[in-house]
Amino acid sequence: MQAIVHVVPHRKRSDPDEPIPLSEAPCSLNDAVRTALQARLRGVLASTGREVIEDPESKSALPDRVYSFLVGDINLVDVSVELVHLLRNSQSGVNSAGLLLVAEARLGTERSLLIVKLEQETGMQATETFVNGLRTFDMKYLADLLFTEKSKIHKVALFPEGGISEDRIEGWAADRQLSGKMAAFFLERFLGCRQKNEPREVTRRFHDATTEWINAYVTDPDTRINYVIATLAELQSGNRFLDPVEFAQRHLDIFHRDAFIEHLERSDVPCRSFDKDTQHLESRLNNMRVGFASGVFIVAPVNALDDQEVLTLEDQGDGTTSVTITGTVTTATTYAPPGGRRRQKKEGGTGESPSAEGGDGSPAVG
């Protein structure tokens, strides 16, 4: 691994554009330093890394620079110089000073470009010495400590050569300062990328693929209902992230887990932690519908399905299930499923036809 380190000074947009002290050659990384660096960065990308893809609307030059490096048109020193200028220009006055590490790395067998922003640390070093035959210690102030055990990795991006094409680049990025989400200046203005899996869309895909798998693969009625309840509980939880593998380990029987993960992969759902956003699902998470071959179905609040004093489903052992509902009957009406006829404007006027209601007296949903 070859690496270049540049100092990125703090600068407000109104400050004069002073030259950056630039590195002119790779720094040496011995085996111990390289091993520690790899371990730290693997941990960061595994816990908070997200797949990113070039945004065609972005004005950032970084994707072009990454492409040029990975195809061999520009060397590591030159690309690092361009990236440090791009980083400084993308930051606002609130961004702290730090260090930018740009390194040639390997992801498996693929040549890759690694970009890391980390804080610049200071410290004191005590060196034993003797004065007039007496032991003492010289104290030195070290202003440029790099990558100590307590140093903070702020942001990371990794672009492998397998993720580049003529029209886009793909890779991974992580922002430790925002716990999984990424600052706009880093993701959009600097990297020129967007998340490959938009949180609202990938959360919806997880919900749809999971319920589809449950109904297609799980035959036991009780297990099927328990899995759906677990899915809704996971989506409604306060956790900001959702890890499908962890979900399977916590909620599914061991002999169901592999089939579940394989189904998610076929359904284009990432099987690693992703940012959860249920905005597209809010109206679907509070109630659950249980359908029967006869055409009868039950719609009930999720908490009622967990309360055996209210609703009990019992397997009869012959492929059928009996349902017992205990409570006070409050209403009995006719019913039409959502999607009744749309309101029609009267010819020559602005009035509306009387077919505006569904069979249960409620407004029809077009």
Side-chain angles (χ1 to χ4, degrees), residues 3 21 38 43 50 56 58 76 114 146 153 182 213 215 228 232 243 246 253 263 277 310 318 322-323 338 363:
Q38 290 173 344
R50 299 291 182 265
S58 173
L76 184 64
L114 176 68
L146 172 63
I153 299 173
M182 279 175 266
W213 174 82
N215 285 292
V228 173
L232 298 180
D243 186 329
E246 184 180 299
D253 292 337
H263 180 79
D277 187 334
V310 176
D318 58 358
S322 65
V323 180

Side-chain angles (χ1 to χ4, degrees), residues 41-109:
L41 294 175
R42 284 171 182 163
V44 170
L45 288 170
S47 60
T48 58
R50 299 291 182 265
E51 291 181 281
V52 297
I53 188 169
E54 181 180 348
D55 184 352
E57 302 298 321
S58 173
K59 297 179 181 179
S60 173
L62 183 138
D64 290 338
R65 303 298 180 266
V66 171
Y67 179 87
S68 296
F69 173 77
L70 291 176
V71 299
D73 291 343
I74 187 173
N75 63 40
L76 184 64
V77 173
D78 290 341
V79 75
S80 72
V81 169
E82 296 203 37
L83 295 189
V84 75
H85 285 295
L86 289 175
L87 176 60
R88 186 174 72 166
N89 292 337
S90 67
Q91 294 186 147
S92 65
V94 300
N95 299 118
S96 60
L99 300 170
L100 180 69
L101 181 147
V102 181
E104 180 180 359
R106 291 277 170 183
L107 183 62
T109 59

Side-chain angles (χ1 to χ4, degrees), residues 229-262:
I229 291 174
T231 302
L232 298 180
E234 184 73 27
L235 291 169
Q236 290 178 311
S237 73
N239 295 333
R240 295 174 55 188
F241 316 115
L242 198 158
D243 186 329
V245 173
E246 184 180 299
F247 169 84
Q249 292 172 343
R250 285 191 288 112
H251 297 295
L252 305 187
D253 292 337
I254 190 169
F255 48 83
H256 284 156
R257 295 172 188 171
D258 288 345
F260 172 69
I261 294 300
E262 290 170 3

Side-chain angles (χ1 to χ4, degrees), residues 338-353:
R341 240 182 349 164
R342 292 182 180 272
R343 293 176 182 263
Q344 301 292 328
K345 289 186 177 181
K346 292 182 179 179
E347 191 172 331
T350 58
E352 307 210 340
S353 72

